[in-house]
Amino acid sequence: MDITFEHVTHVYGQKTPFEKKALNDVSLHIPSGSFTSIIGHTGSGKSTLVQHINGLLKPSAGRISVGDFVIDANQKKQDLKPLREKVGYVFQYPEHQLFEETIIKDVCFGPMNFGVSDSEATKRAEESLQLVGLPAAYWHRSPFDLSGGQMRRVAIAGVLAVRPQVIILDEPTAGLDPRGREEILSLFSDLHKRLNLTIIMVTHNMSDAAIYSDQVIAMDGGKPLLADTPEEVFSHVELLRKVGLDVPETMEFLSKLLKKAGKQQVVTAFTLDDTADAVIDLLNEVKDHV
Amino acid sequence: MEKIIEVRDLSYRYSEEHPLVLKEINFTVNKGEWLSIVGHNGSGKSTLAKCLNGLIIPQKGTVEVNGYDTADEQTIWEIRRLVGMVFQNPDNQFVGATVQDDVAFGMENHGLPRAVMVERLSEALRLVKMEAFAQTEPHRLSGGQKQRVAIAGIVALQPLIIIMDEATSMLDPEGRREIIQTVRDLNKKHQLTVISITHDLEEAIHSDRLLVMNDGQIVREGKPRDIFKSTDLLKKVGLDLPFAIKMRNALRAKEVPLTDSALFQEELVDELWTLHSSM
């Protein structure tokens, strides 16, 4: 499902002393089946932006289309259920939303809300728990006896069980240890490829944005500052720094080496392997000139 | 070096049916040092931290803070004043309606006279660079600012030790830098002892000493430079490696003859540069 924003503006607390324009005339396109990361410092409008995609927020002006579904600022109230069935939203710390007696019941809750029968919901819950890698031995236990990382996977299974085509992830790895972080990210990368899910990830981690995405959108002051491939976006080092954003640590490292070599250029590399190649190239190049 | 905390044979379990989460732990903390405790989720780090200011009393073994035993009810409030704790979630530890109310809360609890409170309040806010926000309500603050207020509340009690329990893990990169800088100043300029429980290895490599925890035990203790030489052990206990070491390993795999010495990015850059000049 293609997602398009046309001149979308969102104002919080309209006509109050606290009025704040959180999105300012945003136009952008997220292609179906892509992995898009949204970066930007706190208060830049990242979360406000993604909350429009499943109708949690309504635009103050402009229109958003998600597949055939259209939300227009001038439109009357509409039933958002069909949209929310297609667009799953994994909130920050989703494990705080677990509430059922057993893991399987918790995962069934989502699909049953969308009118799926008991047996179908159970079937989907089992599939989703398998997808997130939680062994069947756990399914009839309480979700509250699990570790933080496991609880998060159960919460994610709850979203997957609705069978969305688009998944929004709001800082999915916040508060996890390195192992848990790696697990969650490779889970979504895998789901993205296997189920052709469109993934939209809000993140503060520039390396994750660079490595996993097809498209990176850098937000600043309620507007997209850059929206392009990771290579293109992260080549604008100065611009990103100016709005309080970093570049991936691989590039930080390369820039230190380039500076030592007295070079002005920017080299984009995101994986350790590519960075090592860039280092070797650079050293050879400098040597040839001596 | 002067010892400020001494932990002896400490074991702890949450209840009879549960396994031990801390097993026979022994270590000391020196006055004025920055000690980091690393380990994956569930390794016992946070439980250990709660033992250090008497939030948890061990079933076995002792914890002494500045000579006071945490099991002694007579001195527990003195221990809690000496050992301040900053938790992970900035929203869960804000109790005041404004920044100044929040900082004053701890002092009120300890029954300080008003004149002293007023004086310490402005001093504490100045130290964390939040004096311009004294009247501000919490929802107008960023996560990093809220954590700085939490630190001010601790500083106002004139503690000897500050424990950060993943205090930066919910913050954006800018907030994280703010907190580390604030605490580093307190450590260097005011000789506050810092114990930091963290997953952030780029932070941990800057500490004076490091404890590595796994399965309720301390598996390594030493200077970051020595500990990060045993990369196999760290991987085995589920920890990541600092960037400079991962980068070094990637370069070595491509036959760049690097030594084991670099721990910081700058050191690796220097080593590469020297290497290239001698090629």
Side-chain angles (χ1 to χ4, degrees):
Chain A
M1 295 211 295
D2 279 14
I3 298 163
T4 310
F5 279 62
E6 289 165 84
H7 304 290
V8 173
T9 293
H10 188 91
V11 184
Y12 283 115
Q14 207 154 16
K15 296 182 188 120
T16 73
F18 303 110
E19 187 169 301
K20 188 181 180 280
K21 206 180 254 186
L23 292 181
N24 187 2
D25 194 18
V26 173
S27 295
L28 53 83
H29 179 68
I30 296 172
S32 184
S34 71
F35 195 128
T36 298
S37 288
I38 320 264
I39 58 174
H41 68 84
T42 306
S44 61
K46 300 185 300 291
S47 297
T48 307
L49 179 78
V50 294
Q51 284 173 17
H52 280 81
I53 301 174
N54 77 339
L56 279 176
L57 290 176
K58 204 183 162 204
S60 310
R63 69 187 243 148
I64 298 139
S65 50
V66 180
D68 301 333
F69 203 97
V70 176
I71 302 174
D72 196 300
N74 302 317
Q75 206 169 34
K76 284 219 175 87
K77 250 194 170 165
Q78 56 185 334
D79 180 15
L80 293 165
K81 231 171 180 175
L83 174 66
R84 293 197 176 137
E85 198 171 356
K86 298 286 176 229
V87 183
Y89 199 122
V90 179
F91 289 92
Q92 272 187 49
Y93 300 91
E95 60 275 20
H96 294 171
Q97 299 170 43
L98 298 175
F99 71 102
E100 267 287 10
E101 283 174 332
T102 67
I103 289 167
I104 191 100
K105 276 193 194 167
D106 207 294
V107 178
C108 285
F109 180 75
M112 285 173 70
N113 257 335
F114 286 103
V116 167
S117 71
D118 267 14
S119 61
E120 172 66 14
T122 308
K123 194 182 128 222
R124 289 195 192 181
E126 288 174 359
E127 271 172 22
S128 305
L129 286 165
Q130 258 154 7
L131 278 174
V132 302
L134 196 80
Y138 287 88
W139 295 353
H140 294 277
R141 293 194 206 163
S142 163
F144 300 103
D145 290 337
L146 298 172
S147 74
Q150 287 171 323
M151 280 168 74
R152 191 165 298 187
R153 280 191 275 160
V154 171
I156 289 167
V159 173
L160 292 175
V162 180
R163 294 200 179 146
Q165 294 173 22
V166 179
I167 292 195
I168 299 169
L169 304 169
D170 195 353
E171 291 187 53
T173 62
L176 294 181
D177 65 4
R179 192 190 278 169
R181 226 161 42 212
E182 172 69 35
E183 279 174 10
I184 294 287
L185 286 172
S186 45
L187 168 69
F188 282 110
S189 175
D190 187 48
L191 290 172
H192 166 62
K193 287 179 198 135
R194 270 178 33 202
L195 308 178
N196 198 29
L197 284 176
T198 307
I199 299 207
I200 301 159
M201 174 167 82
V202 174
T203 182
H204 283 304
N205 188 315
M206 299 302 138
S207 296
D208 293 346
I211 289 174
Y212 292 99
S213 326
D214 311 310
Q215 177 179 225
V216 174
I217 299 175
M219 294 291 292
D220 180 53
K223 265 180 179 287
L225 178 73
L226 296 163
D228 214 316
T229 59
E231 288 75 15
E232 180 59 31
V233 167
F234 288 114
S235 67
H236 296 274
V237 180
E238 286 307 313
L239 187 60
L240 291 170
R241 290 243 165 86
K242 215 159 60 188
V243 301
L245 288 173
D246 295 328
V247 293
E249 54 186 356
T250 47
M251 286 181 62
E252 294 275 1
F253 176 72
L254 280 173
S255 78
K256 284 177 189 147
L257 192 62
L258 285 157
K259 207 169 152 202
K260 196 104 187 170
K263 289 186 178 285
Q264 295 289 318
Q265 86 219 57
V266 172
V267 179
T268 51
F270 307 135
T271 63
L272 286 170
D273 199 52
D274 289 350
T275 310
D277 287 337
V279 168
I280 293 166
D281 286 351
L282 174 72
L283 293 179
N284 287 336
E285 195 185 310
V286 177
K287 193 172 64 180
D288 292 343
H289 283 279
V290 177
Chain B
M1 260 180 291
E2 197 186 331
K3 279 179 205 159
I4 197 159
I5 294 183
E6 183 155 21
V7 175
R8 266 170 297 182
D9 300 324
L10 183 155
S11 293
Y12 184 76
R13 64 173 82 194
Y14 280 95
S15 71
E16 288 288 321
E17 312 90 81
H18 285 83
L20 288 170
V21 283
L22 296 174
K23 302 168 190 165
E24 299 284 325
I25 299 230
N26 284 285
F27 72 99
T28 56
V29 183
N30 302 315
K31 197 167 184 182
E33 78 172 332
W34 182 305
L35 175 75
S36 291
I37 305 180
V38 299
H40 65 80
N41 286 351
S43 60
K45 304 183 304 288
S46 294
T47 308
L48 179 60
K50 291 193 183 97
C51 290
L52 301 182
N53 71 344
L55 282 178
I56 286 178
I57 308 298
Q59 284 110 350
K60 195 169 158 289
T62 56
V63 179
E64 271 182 21
V65 179
N66 206 31
Y68 302 118
D69 189 331
T70 58
D72 183 352
E73 282 178 26
Q74 303 292 318
T75 50
I76 189 69
W77 283 97
E78 181 60 8
I79 289 175
R80 301 233 172 102
R81 184 186 71 77
L82 291 174
V83 187
M85 205 153 170
V86 189
F87 296 96
Q88 186 177 30
N89 190 336
D91 292 315
N92 290 352
Q93 49 194 320
F94 215 107
V95 291
T98 63
V99 165
Q100 62 179 16
D101 286 359
D102 196 70
V103 176
F105 180 76
M107 292 193 282
E108 281 174 346
N109 271 341
H110 284 271
L112 290 175
R114 187 181 151 79
V116 177
M117 281 174 49
V118 171
E119 190 184 313
R120 288 201 193 169
L121 174 73
S122 54
E123 171 67 6
L125 287 177
R126 193 182 61 75
L127 283 173
V128 301
K129 300 195 174 66
M130 287 294 288
E131 60 269 59
F133 297 87
Q135 310 287 346
T136 308
E137 298 153 32
H139 68 273
R140 308 213 166 271
L141 301 176
S142 71
Q145 288 173 329
K146 282 181 200 160
Q147 291 297 64
R148 267 148 65 198
V149 174
I151 294 170
I154 291 166
V155 168
L157 297 174
Q158 304 189 331
L160 293 172
I161 303 155
I162 188 163
I163 301 179
M164 297 200 288
D165 189 357
E166 296 184 37
T168 62
S169 70
M170 287 178 74
L171 306 179
D172 64 11
E174 201 179 326
R176 200 168 285 194
R177 279 192 288 266
E178 283 171 13
I179 295 306
I180 296 301
Q181 197 48 53
T182 304
V183 178
R184 194 163 284 154
D185 278 356
L186 292 169
N187 176 245
K188 294 278 176 282
K189 294 184 192 148
H190 302 270
Q191 287 73 50
L192 199 69
T193 307
V194 177
I195 302 172
S196 175
I197 290 167
T198 183
H199 290 309
D200 185 350
L201 294 177
E202 301 305 316
E203 179 203 318
I205 55 178
H206 286 96
S207 40
D208 299 312
R209 211 154 53 94
L210 208 59
L211 297 181
V212 182
M213 289 199 63
N214 188 43
D215 195 20
Q217 288 172 307
I218 295 174
V219 290
R220 270 299 297 274
E221 178 273 316
K223 289 194 162 58
R225 197 169 290 281
D226 297 328
I227 286 189
F228 287 114
K229 281 191 177 139
S230 2
T231 55
D232 289 347
L233 171 88
L234 295 170
K235 275 194 194 146
K236 211 176 79 192
V237 301
L239 289 176
D240 201 4
L241 294 171
F243 177 79
I245 293 179
K246 285 193 283 191
M247 195 64 243
R248 178 189 79 204
N249 293 344
L251 283 160
R252 271 197 193 150
K254 294 183 189 290
E255 282 155 28
V256 180
L258 292 163
T259 66
D260 269 343
S261 65
L263 181 60
F264 302 104
Q265 289 193 21
E266 290 73 14
E267 293 172 338
L268 188 59
V269 167
D270 286 343
E271 193 180 345
L272 282 165
W273 196 246
T274 315
L275 193 68
H276 131 272
S277 320
S278 63
M279 272 198 294

